Amino acid sequence: GQQLNQSPQSMFIQEGEDVSMNCTSSSIFNTWLWYKQDPGEGPVLLIALYKAGELTSNGRLTAQFGITRKDSFLNISASIPSDVGIYFCAGPNSGYALNFGKGTSLLVTP
Amino acid sequence: NAGVTQTPKFRVLKTGQSMTLLCAQDMNHEYMYWYRQDPGMGLRLIHYSVGEGTTAKGEVPDGYNVSRLKKQNFLLGLESAAPSQTSVYFCASRDPQRGRLDEQFFGPGTRLTVL
């Protein structure tokens, strides 16, 4: 399937800081999904993007579908301790399944 | 609505033992998936099913078998466990007919250790 490369691998920030992470693909996607995994839990969908150039917000989170359709970005503004977790990007690899990136691990200190 | 549930939550096996992980969903979803998650590797697809009675291989199917005898259940079997199968296993389901087309709903995971 298509390779998804997420960066950075991990981030260690202070509460109140803004966060940016991105995901790039070796091929074009028609959909980009961003999931968050809390420690000890399964991933939960945060934002879904369906159109190149689309910018979508969910509270303090904003995600963008890159114009080239080979990348996507997730920003978190004014981070808080409960933002801790692993953030995954994902895209469909066939009609049925998703390819996931390896994740960006976020740690937030009070 | 319980969503996606997984049984058991934790398990320790010895090399060569067998076990079955159970996934159940009450959302009437057609598609179901089994992933494994290892540190630094993200989520890798083991097997998936697009309907009752059908299964297909994912990215890392070796050493696992699956069955989907009922729409709401998806079983993952390890016939002869190996230490390389130590991992956290996640089940997911999806309804391709409505809502956000690609969204998968995940269970809470099963942490398996093979000694």
Side-chain angles (χ1 to χ4, degrees), chain B residues 66-87:
Chain B
V66 287
S67 65
R68 183 103 181 264
L69 298 178
K70 293 183 180 180
K71 187 177 182 179
Q72 62 267 35
N73 295 336
F74 195 27
L75 305 179
L76 178 71
L78 286 73
E79 286 186 353
S80 179
S84 61
Q85 293 177 306
T86 293
S87 188

Side-chain angles (χ1 to χ4, degrees), chain B residues 17-93:
Chain B
Q17 286 186 316
S18 63
M19 80 162 293
T20 300
L21 281 66
L22 170 65
C23 176
Q25 52 96 3
D26 61 1
M27 298 175 283
N28 203 34
H29 285 175
E30 285 293 333
Y31 296 179
M32 295 186 75
Y33 307 85
W34 275 108
Y35 293 90
R36 60 176 289 172
Q37 184 178 27
D38 303 294
M41 298 296 291
L43 291 157
R44 293 184 292 170
L45 184 65
I46 304 171
H47 286 280
Y48 64 98
S49 167
V50 299
E52 185 178 313
T54 73
T55 63
K57 292 180 181 179
E59 182 186 353
V60 289
D62 294 341
Y64 305 95
N65 57 74
V66 287
S67 65
R68 183 103 181 264
L69 298 178
K70 293 183 180 180
K71 187 177 182 179
Q72 62 267 35
N73 295 336
F74 195 27
L75 305 179
L76 178 71
L78 286 73
E79 286 186 353
S80 179
S84 61
Q85 293 177 306
T86 293
S87 188
V88 181
Y89 292 85
F90 288 99
C91 176
S93 72

Side-chain angles (χ1 to χ4, degrees), chain A:
Chain A
Q2 298 96 328
Q3 294 274 353
L4 289 181
N5 298 305
Q6 276 189 257
S7 65
Q9 272 190 317
S10 61
M11 303 181 77
F12 189 74
I13 62 170
Q14 281 199 314
E15 183 176 1
E17 288 184 13
D18 295 342
V19 172
S20 286
M21 59 189 79
N22 70 70
C23 192
T24 59
S25 168
S26 55
S27 51
I28 288 171
F29 278 150
N30 291 319
T31 301
W32 281 99
L33 304 174
W34 284 94
Y35 280 82
K36 183 196 177 196
Q37 183 180 25
D38 288 328
E41 304 286 332
V44 174
L45 185 69
L46 295 173
I47 293 178
L49 302 160
Y50 294 103
K51 223 191 297 189
E54 181 181 353
L55 189 71
T56 297
S57 293
N58 178 5
R60 292 177 297 105
L61 277 62
T62 302
Q64 182 161 24
F65 193 142
I67 292 290
T68 65
R69 292 162 65 193
K70 290 187 175 184
D71 56 8
S72 179
F73 306 88
L74 177 69
N75 296 315
I76 305 173
S77 62
S79 59
I80 58 178
S82 62
D83 290 333
V84 164
I86 304 176
Y87 292 80
F88 292 102
C89 62
N93 70 359
S94 67
Y96 309 118
L98 291 174
N99 264 355
F100 284 84
K102 294 183 179 180
T104 293
S105 179
L106 180 63
L107 290 175
V108 181
T109 58

